[in-house]
Amino acid sequence: MNTSHHPIAIVGAGLGGLTLARVLHVHGIPATVYEADPSPQSRTQGGQLDIHEDDGQRALADAGLTGEFRAIIHEGAEALRVLDQHGKLLHDAPDDGTARRPEVLRGDLRRILLDSLPGRTVQWGRRVTGVRPLGDGRHELTFADGSTVTSGLLVGADGAWSKVRPLLSDAKPEYIGTTFIDTYLHDADERHTATAEAVGAGAMYALTPGKGIIAHREAGNILHVYVELNRPVEWIAGIDFTDAAAATARVAAEFDGWAPELTALITDGETAPVARVIHALPDGHRWEHVPGVTLLGDAAHLMPPSGDGANLAMFDGAELAKAIAAHPGDVEAALIAYEKALFPRSEPFYADAHDMLDLCLGDRAPFGLLDLFNGVPQGVPQGVPQGQDGPPLPNVSPAAR
C-alpha cells in the first residue's frame, strides 16, 4: 500500500476547515483537505447564517474574501419578529439596513471558500476511518477505501463526531435534551400567503416553554423552518422519519391549538422533516497539547446552537493559519500559540449558548427573549447582542443523516 505524505492535513471541508486552507493559501502555505462527501453538491449545506463582525467577518477579511462575501448577502434578512402561539405579534424589528450581521446562505459561503482554493486542495470522497500517531508529531490517516496518508500537522475540522478528537481528548458529545426538526416551504408568498405574512421579511420566533417554531425567510421566496422541542431522545427515536407524512403529523400534534398560519410551517413543509438531535461537548472543553495535531470549530467546542458556531469555526481556522504563518518551520510553537488563545476565547460562548437556548425554550419563553430584544437589563449573553442574532441553527448528529 502506498502512503503519501502531506505536511498539513485538514480533515473536514466545512467552513472552518476551508477558511484554514484559504488563509494558509493567502500566506503561500499549501494544505490538503480531506472530505467524506463525494462532491460539493452531494448534500444540502443548511440554512442562513448571520456573519458577525468580530469573528466571521474578520476571518473572511483574513481570507481576502470580503468582496465575495458582500456579493452573497441576503439584503433585508435581518428583520426579526416574535409571535405568540395564537399568531399575535409581540415584537417587530425591521431590517434597518446597517447590516452589522448580514445574512448569507451557508452553501453560498462554502462555495466562495471552495472557489478561492487551488484545484485538488480538497479531496472529495475521502472518509477517515482511523487516525494513529507515528511519533515526532506525525500521524497516519486511514480512509474508507483502505488508502493512507501521513501528516506533519493534522487538523480536525470534522465537526461534532470528529475522528481526530480522540487523539487529544476523551470527551464525547452528549444529547442536551433538545431536538430541532427542519423543513422548507417554497414559493411562500404565492402558495403560503398567510404563513409568509406571519413570518415577515426575516426571522420569526413563536416560542413557549419547551417548544417553539422558528422560521427564516431565505433568498428565492423560501421559508426555512426549525421546530424546537425539549424531548427525551427516546421520543425522537420513536418517530419514523422515513415516513414523512407520519413524522410530520406526529410533530404537528405537539402544536395542537396553535394558530393555523404557524402550524402550516410544519404541515405544509415541502421537504421531508429532518431531525437534528442536538449534542454538546462539556462546557469549556480543552485538552493538553499533543504534538502535531489540533482541532477547530465543533470538533473543538461543540455547544448548543446560538448563531455563533459557524463564526467561531471560521475564526478558529483563520487564527490557526495566521499562527502557522507567524511561526515558519515551527509547528509546535504555532499550535501552542493557537491553543493558548483558543480556549479562553471559546469558553464564554458556552454560557451564551445555554442562555440563548433557555431564552427560547425555558420557563419564561418567549418573555426572556422579548426582554433581550427590547434591551431590558438581564445579563445579556456576550455572544448575542440585542436583537441581532438569527435563529439558532442545528448541529447535525449521525442520527440525523
Side-chain angles (χ1 to χ4, degrees):
M1 181 188 301
N2 292 326
T3 299
S4 58
H5 179 77
H6 294 271
I8 301 178
I10 304 165
V11 181
L15 298 180
L18 293 176
T19 301
L20 169 59
R22 168 60 185 178
V23 179
L24 286 172
H25 176 65
V26 167
H27 288 277
I29 302 170
T32 303
V33 182
Y34 299 99
E35 171 55 47
D37 286 349
S39 74
Q41 296 81 30
S42 62
R43 61 186 173 94
T44 58
Q45 294 300 309
Q48 222 157 236
L49 302 171
D50 54 331
I51 305 303
H52 305 176
E53 288 180 303
D54 292 340
D55 37 40
Q57 292 183 47
R58 285 175 59 187
L60 288 166
D62 289 333
L65 296 173
T66 297
E68 290 83 348
F69 162 65
R70 293 290 172 190
I72 63 171
I73 289 172
H74 180 191
E75 301 292 346
E78 287 190 276
L80 183 149
R81 54 175 44 187
V82 180
L83 308 180
D84 71 9
Q85 67 266 44
H86 305 299
K88 179 182 177 181
L89 185 63
L90 304 177
H91 178 86
D92 192 14
D95 188 334
D96 63 6
T98 59
R100 290 183 57 248
R101 290 186 164 191
E103 302 275 350
V104 300
L105 286 171
R106 183 185 291 265
D108 288 344
L109 190 55
R110 191 190 198 210
R111 174 179 52 77
I112 67 172
L113 285 163
L114 285 169
D115 289 348
S116 74
L117 294 171
R120 297 292 298 165
T121 297
V122 180
Q123 295 193 10
W124 300 97
R126 301 280 270 166
R127 181 169 66 86
V128 174
T129 57
V131 185
R132 68 184 182 97
L134 300 175
D136 299 325
R138 296 177 302 118
H139 292 83
E140 181 185 75
L141 286 76
T142 301
F143 300 96
D145 63 3
S147 64
T148 61
V149 300
T150 63
S151 67
L153 167 58
L154 174 62
V155 182
D158 48 344
W161 307 98
S162 172
K163 294 291 187 181
V164 179
R165 188 192 300 120
L167 295 170
L168 296 160
S169 168
D170 294 330
K172 296 180 180 179
E174 295 186 357
Y175 179 53
I176 66 169
T178 300
T179 292
F180 290 2
I181 299 160
D182 72 299
T183 187
Y184 291 84
L185 277 66
H186 299 130
D187 300 322
D189 290 323
E190 295 79 22
R191 299 175 59 186
H192 311 282
T193 305
T195 296
E197 290 177 354
V199 171
M204 184 282 298
Y205 296 76
L207 307 167
T208 60
K211 62 185 178 183
I213 303 172
I214 295 175
H216 210 158
R217 183 180 288 270
E218 295 182 355
N221 198 15
I222 292 170
L223 299 181
H224 190 173
V225 183
Y226 309 88
V227 179
E228 301 186 352
L229 292 166
N230 285 347
R231 296 292 184 273
V233 69
E234 294 81 9
W235 187 88
I236 299 298
I239 299 175
D240 180 7
F241 281 93
T242 65
D243 185 339
T248 296
R250 182 68 187 88
V251 173
E254 298 298 302
F255 297 87
D256 185 43
W258 284 44
E261 64 270 26
L262 297 178
T263 56
L265 288 163
I266 305 170
T267 58
D268 290 0
E270 291 155 327
T271 59
V274 177
R276 315 291 186 182
V277 184
I278 308 301
H279 290 71
L281 286 168
D283 289 0
H285 177 244
R286 59 179 62 201
W287 56 88
E288 295 296 327
H289 174 69
V290 174
V293 59
T294 195
L295 306 171
L296 61 78
D298 283 349
H301 44 66
L302 179 68
M303 58 190 73
S306 61
D308 290 306
N311 289 280
L312 293 178
M314 289 190 294
F315 194 71
D316 290 348
E319 291 299 291
L320 176 55
K322 291 191 294 183
I324 294 168
H327 297 85
D330 193 344
V331 167
E332 296 314 308
L335 294 187
I336 290 168
Y338 164 71
E339 291 171 353
K340 182 179 180 180
L342 170 70
F343 299 140
R345 178 175 74 240
S346 305
E347 190 164 355
F349 286 91
Y350 286 89
D352 296 353
H354 288 295
D355 287 345
M356 187 64 183
L357 194 61
D358 184 65
L359 290 174
C360 289
L361 298 178
D363 291 342
R364 293 195 63 232
F367 301 106
L369 191 67
L370 287 169
D371 287 346
L372 176 66
F373 291 156
N374 289 321
V376 176
Q378 54 175 303
V380 174
Q382 296 176 33
V384 190
Q386 296 169 13
Q388 293 296 317
D389 214 354
L393 298 182
N395 301 305
V396 183
S397 76
R401 294 190 175 182

